[in-house]
Amino acid sequence: MQIAILLFEGITPLDAVGPYEVLRSLPGAEVVFAGHRVGPVRSEGGRLGLIVDAELADVPAPDVVLVPGGPGQVALMDDEPVHAWLRAVDATSVWTTSVCTGSLVLAAAGLLTGRRATSYWLALDQLAELGAVPTAERVVVDGKYMTAAGVSAGIDMALTLAARLAGDSVAQALQLGVEYDPHPPFDAGSPRTAPPEIVAALRARSRFILQGTA
Amino acid sequence: MQIAILLFEGITPLDAVGPYEVLRSLPGAEVVFAGHRVGPVRSEGGRLGLIVDAELADVPAPDVVLVPGGPGQVALMDDEPVHAWLRAVDATSVWTTSVCTGSLVLAAAGLLTGRRATSYWLALDQLAELGAVPTAERVVVDGKYMTAAGVSAGIDMALTLAARLAGDSVAQALQLGVEYDPHPPFDAGSPRTAPPEIVAALRARSRFILQGTA
């Protein structure tokens, strides 16, 4: 089983690395990091370099495709080679998935039209504009399309995906393997639970964040 | 404020990227990825390439130092240049921190002797052998030493660290920024909650995992 994770300039690395860390240990699975060109890309703000190991054309039929998000997602919204690749791999994929604003790219490629999907909490309106049915849940499954909410939600999605692919016991072993027993010191990870003034402050900044300038 | 995250061959990337994703947005903070040589290192199993941007000698006095874990930690246990760097930066650091088996490296460098600390759940015995007081908690603080349990625990640690450095409101905004509202599909992320047969199976394999062959 081949799992392709898209890397691109301006990615939010946790969107990719969270699922990677779970799925790399899935029995029989091989994870490949694919992108426009083999070599380094830089994360949001240029701070972390990650290496693309395969060009898109060299990954024509992964069983699972995962599109992360991040400020660089903006440039992918009209990146026709990426859209064409996503439509092509989607034709044979077992699962087509995204984390955070990666779902906006799937939607821009025409793959989420009329489907329930989620995204970064500040991007749900944009997801609706792109023809999907935005659903404010941590992980949303509609047919073979699995989308995760923002950034850290990719870990939850990867465990859900592992369970669908290999069964609950395997997924539980993967969860223990990455010791995913979350104990955040605050209950502020969702707009439904964070202090309202913090939600408002991030919402005010979101126009800029989602345009890739943050 | 400078935050140095150590990268090395055989790292578990989530140990580094989880905290990075939280701390990169800390007001006034700059994250630098440091290692033996500028250029790429490969994660456990060689699957993900990450880029070192600064040699250890070029990061002589970070305010925060963070040591991730992973199978490659084994090679760091007698890596005297890394130990010397850790002791030097610890002399002036505000916080000296680790995720997963990174605490074994801090302990091997002599920095956790007699201190309460945690590590990957399968490495707590080894932490004791190295002179620390193993403590099976998600995040352990002893003076300026903050250690996290396995892999995903680095996210919880980074939020705890952000609160200490910049206050609860800033930490809560960072948590909402990465939408860290965890909803794992199973309650199997700790040896206390996972099915006993899964704990036993991972424990049986652990000798090999911790020796870097997994």
Side-chain angles (χ1 to χ4, degrees):
Chain A
M1 175 181 309
Q2 188 183 50
I3 299 169
I5 300 179
L6 184 68
L7 294 184
F8 52 89
E9 291 291 334
I11 192 175
T12 292
L14 185 51
D15 293 13
V17 170
Y20 156 76
E21 208 67 83
V22 171
L23 298 172
R24 71 174 184 84
S25 300
L26 194 68
E30 170 217 22
V31 177
V32 59
F33 289 93
H36 272 307
R37 279 168 297 280
V38 170
V41 295
R42 286 279 162 177
S43 74
E44 74 287 73
R47 276 166 280 199
L48 175 60
L50 300 159
I51 298 177
V52 172
D53 286 324
E55 294 189 11
L56 299 179
D58 294 330
V59 187
D63 301 282
V64 176
V65 59
L66 187 151
V67 182
Q73 155 269 326
V74 174
L76 297 186
M77 295 303 281
D78 58 1
D79 185 323
E80 188 45 44
V82 163
H83 295 194
W85 179 72
L86 288 172
R87 284 190 292 264
V89 300
D90 180 67
T92 55
S93 70
V94 179
W95 286 99
T96 294
T97 74
S98 66
V99 178
C100 198
T101 53
S103 59
L104 301 179
V105 182
L106 288 181
L111 298 176
L112 295 180
T113 306
R115 296 191 182 279
R116 295 173 70 249
T118 194
S119 191
Y120 190 49
W121 64 278
L122 285 164
L124 289 169
D125 290 348
Q126 198 176 346
L127 191 61
E129 292 165 12
L130 292 162
V133 181
T135 307
E137 295 171 9
R138 190 77 175 157
V139 177
V140 174
V141 179
D142 185 338
K144 72 170 187 177
Y145 300 88
M146 191 179 292
T147 52
V151 196
S152 58
I155 302 172
D156 296 318
M157 186 186 79
L159 290 167
T160 304
L161 182 61
R164 296 287 188 110
L165 287 166
D168 288 1
S169 291
V170 167
Q172 290 171 319
L174 298 177
Q175 183 178 359
L176 184 57
V178 296
E179 207 166 339
Y180 186 46
D181 177 38
H183 283 77
F186 308 101
D187 185 12
S190 157
R192 291 181 292 279
T193 60
E197 67 277 13
I198 290 176
V199 176
L202 263 73
R203 198 178 288 283
R205 278 181 8 220
S206 73
R207 211 175 347 158
F208 306 102
I209 292 172
L210 292 176
Q211 288 173 3
T213 57
Chain B
M1 174 180 309
Q2 188 183 50
I3 299 169
I5 299 179
L6 184 69
L7 295 184
F8 51 89
E9 291 290 335
I11 191 175
T12 292
L14 186 51
D15 294 13
V17 170
Y20 156 77
E21 209 66 83
V22 171
L23 298 172
R24 71 174 184 83
S25 300
L26 194 68
E30 170 217 22
V31 176
V32 59
F33 289 93
H36 273 306
R37 279 168 297 279
V38 170
V41 295
R42 286 277 162 178
S43 74
E44 74 289 71
R47 276 167 279 200
L48 175 60
L50 301 160
I51 298 178
V52 172
D53 287 323
E55 293 189 11
L56 299 179
D58 294 330
V59 188
D63 300 283
V64 176
V65 59
L66 187 151
V67 182
Q73 154 269 324
V74 174
L76 297 186
M77 295 304 281
D78 58 1
D79 185 324
E80 189 46 44
V82 163
H83 295 194
W85 179 72
L86 287 172
R87 284 190 292 264
V89 300
D90 180 67
T92 55
S93 70
V94 178
W95 286 99
T96 294
T97 75
S98 65
V99 178
C100 199
T101 53
S103 59
L104 300 179
V105 182
L106 288 181
L111 298 176
L112 295 181
T113 306
R115 295 192 181 278
R116 295 172 70 250
T118 193
S119 192
Y120 191 48
W121 65 279
L122 284 164
L124 290 169
D125 290 348
Q126 198 177 344
L127 192 60
E129 292 165 12
L130 292 162
V133 181
T135 307
E137 296 170 8
R138 190 77 175 157
V139 177
V140 174
V141 179
D142 186 338
K144 72 170 187 177
Y145 300 89
M146 190 179 292
T147 52
V151 196
S152 58
I155 301 172
D156 296 319
M157 187 186 80
L159 291 168
T160 305
L161 182 61
R164 296 288 188 110
L165 287 166
D168 288 2
S169 291
V170 168
Q172 288 171 321
L174 298 177
Q175 183 179 359
L176 183 57
V178 296
E179 207 165 340
Y180 186 47
D181 177 37
H183 283 77
F186 307 101
D187 185 12
S190 156
R192 291 181 293 279
T193 60
E197 67 278 13
I198 289 176
V199 176
L202 264 73
R203 199 178 287 284
R205 279 180 8 218
S206 72
R207 210 174 348 158
F208 306 102
I209 292 173
L210 293 176
Q211 287 172 2
T213 56

